[in-house]
Amino acid sequence: MSEQRQEEGRSGARSVVVAGAGMAGVQTAVALREQGFDGAVTLIGAEPHQPYDRPPLSKAVLLGTAENSAFDVDFEGLGIRLELGREVLGLRAADHELDTERGPVPYDVLVLATGAEPVRLPGSEGVPGVHLLRTLDDAERLRPVLARQHDVVVVGAGWIGAEFATAAREAGCAVTVVEAADRPLAGALPPEVAAPMTGWYADSGADLRTHTRVARLEPGAVVLDDGSRLPAGAVVVGIGARPATAWLTGSGVELGAHHEVVADDLLRTNLPDVYAVGDCASFPSRRYGERLLVHHWDNALQGPRTVAANILGAATGEPPVRYDPVPYFWSEQFGRFVQYAGHHADADALLWRGEPSGPAWTVCWLREDRLVALLAVGRPRDLAQGRRLIEAGTPMNPRLLVDPARPLKAATA
């Protein structure tokens, strides 16, 4: 048997190409090596920088307490080939080739991990002083803005808007946050849960304006729909993100309602030898009975292990590994550590542990008597215990659960 055939027999594929060098892409490449894949692994990233983690961009990197957030991964030692500053342009699945600006890249197995891209505010193109916060270059452009303590207008009171407003206030900037909805985090949390968070802005010295839309942007100012003008040395737009999948148009890859790659519960796409993971892909959740599109760090960390296992298992005959996580994320804002686990869309009861006016409290969502999600503010033990209870599907006792002095794990039926 030739050396090439021996390698193919051990690994199941002579080459895996990963499109996207963010958390999901890097972790896929690393997981392949950790799980014993010995074929070629190529990681392609559009940015020229060494692959880096994104959460520090809105904190340490933005405030200048860290220069970058590069992953501590020995790519050379792991035999992972990096192709950085190389944008993917298209996919020709019939030829097993990925098109890039430097020419085609052949693959035996392809992993789509191109992440998400920020939604731009209409009319902001070409206006000086308008920023996004998604990449290392974005953070580096914003760092001197904070250092000079400009008046800053943040458009959008979602997670990224709150985190940037927190950093800007910490840097001494005057901050106004403009939100079209009636509350912060309107797309993520119900009104009664988001309501206590409204006061966090005022407590930090930020001016939160809800029911307010941007009419237009001008150099040095934001004009609101009521005609008022806000001085703005900088404008930071945080109105959401969408899967970075435009390059897949016409490729045959099935895209969903949000233009995300539609993956199955093994994280395979509808095309042979093509997987998808992280922010660019949705997956069916048996636990929640619906398809989930999760734009959070933990999904980009956990999903790659499933992808790697299934790439190897497809060749070795190992049982497939199904992906059905309890979604998790965290946010640091206005001096508070906010954590969320689960998915509350089909919950039929909402219960509080602690007073929302206080520094620490938790909201629990139940479906029948099972915990399906919780939001913990300053109560990390609740989060850790609650996540395990969700995973196990443990019946809960609502009367015991609402007692904040009782550990969640002791509030079972």
Side-chain angles (χ1 to χ4, degrees), residues 4-304:
Q4 178 175 329
R5 284 297 180 187
Q6 287 178 338
E7 181 179 85
E8 187 174 358
R10 289 195 306 270
S11 303
R14 282 163 280 130
S15 67
V16 175
V17 173
V18 183
M23 169 62 82
V26 167
Q27 290 300 321
T28 297
V30 170
L32 283 165
R33 291 301 189 221
E34 289 178 343
Q35 295 181 29
F37 180 79
D38 54 10
V41 177
T42 302
L43 186 63
I44 299 177
E47 295 182 58
H49 310 291
Q50 191 76 1
Y52 60 88
D53 202 5
R54 294 190 189 277
L57 299 183
S58 61
K59 306 172 184 72
V61 174
L62 187 61
L63 291 171
T65 58
E67 286 303 312
N68 60 56
S69 56
F71 291 114
D72 184 17
V73 174
D74 182 2
F75 294 101
E76 183 177 357
L78 289 171
I80 297 170
R81 180 179 178 181
L82 291 181
E83 293 280 353
L84 303 177
R86 187 171 189 175
E87 187 176 359
V88 292
L89 303 176
L91 168 62
R92 287 176 289 110
D95 298 326
H96 270 55
E97 284 190 340
L98 186 70
D99 287 327
T100 77
E101 59 185 358
R102 297 183 204 162
V105 177
Y107 66 84
D108 290 319
V109 175
L110 175 65
V111 181
L112 306 177
T114 47
E117 58 191 5
V119 176
R120 297 179 180 273
L121 185 68
S124 64
E125 295 81 0
V127 179
V130 178
H131 300 263
L132 301 168
L133 182 52
R134 181 74 184 182
T135 68
L136 179 59
D137 288 341
D138 292 337
E140 289 180 344
R141 282 189 288 266
L142 277 165
R143 192 154 56 181
V145 171
L146 268 59
R148 291 193 292 267
Q149 298 184 333
H150 282 291
D151 291 341
V152 176
V153 174
V154 180
V155 183
W159 299 111
I160 192 65
E163 290 184 2
F164 178 80
T166 299
R169 286 299 300 140
E170 188 174 330
C173 299
V175 177
T176 302
V177 180
V178 177
E179 171 56 52
D182 61 348
R183 62 190 187 276
L185 296 168
L189 298 173
E192 63 268 38
V193 178
M197 300 175 176
T198 301
W200 298 355
Y201 288 79
D203 291 346
S204 75
D207 178 13
L208 173 64
R209 303 194 183 190
T210 58
H211 295 288
T212 304
R213 294 182 179 274
V214 174
R216 66 181 184 277
L217 300 176
E218 299 175 351
V222 175
V223 180
L224 303 179
D225 56 359
D226 63 2
S228 59
R229 297 176 81 257
L230 300 176
V235 178
V236 177
V237 178
I239 55 175
R242 58 190 167 206
T245 58
W247 66 281
L248 290 168
T249 301
S251 68
V253 172
E254 181 183 356
L255 301 180
H258 302 283
H259 302 285
E260 84 283 8
V261 178
V262 175
D264 66 11
D265 60 356
L266 307 185
L267 297 182
R268 302 173 303 188
T269 73
N270 62 304
L271 297 182
D273 303 319
V274 181
Y275 293 76
V277 68
D279 291 2
C280 72
S282 65
F283 56 90
S285 171
R286 184 176 302 178
R287 185 190 314 277
Y288 292 107
E290 62 180 281
R291 178 166 289 275
L292 300 181
L293 176 60
V294 180
H295 281 185
H296 294 298
W297 185 91
D298 191 66
N299 179 52
L301 175 67
Q302 303 296 339

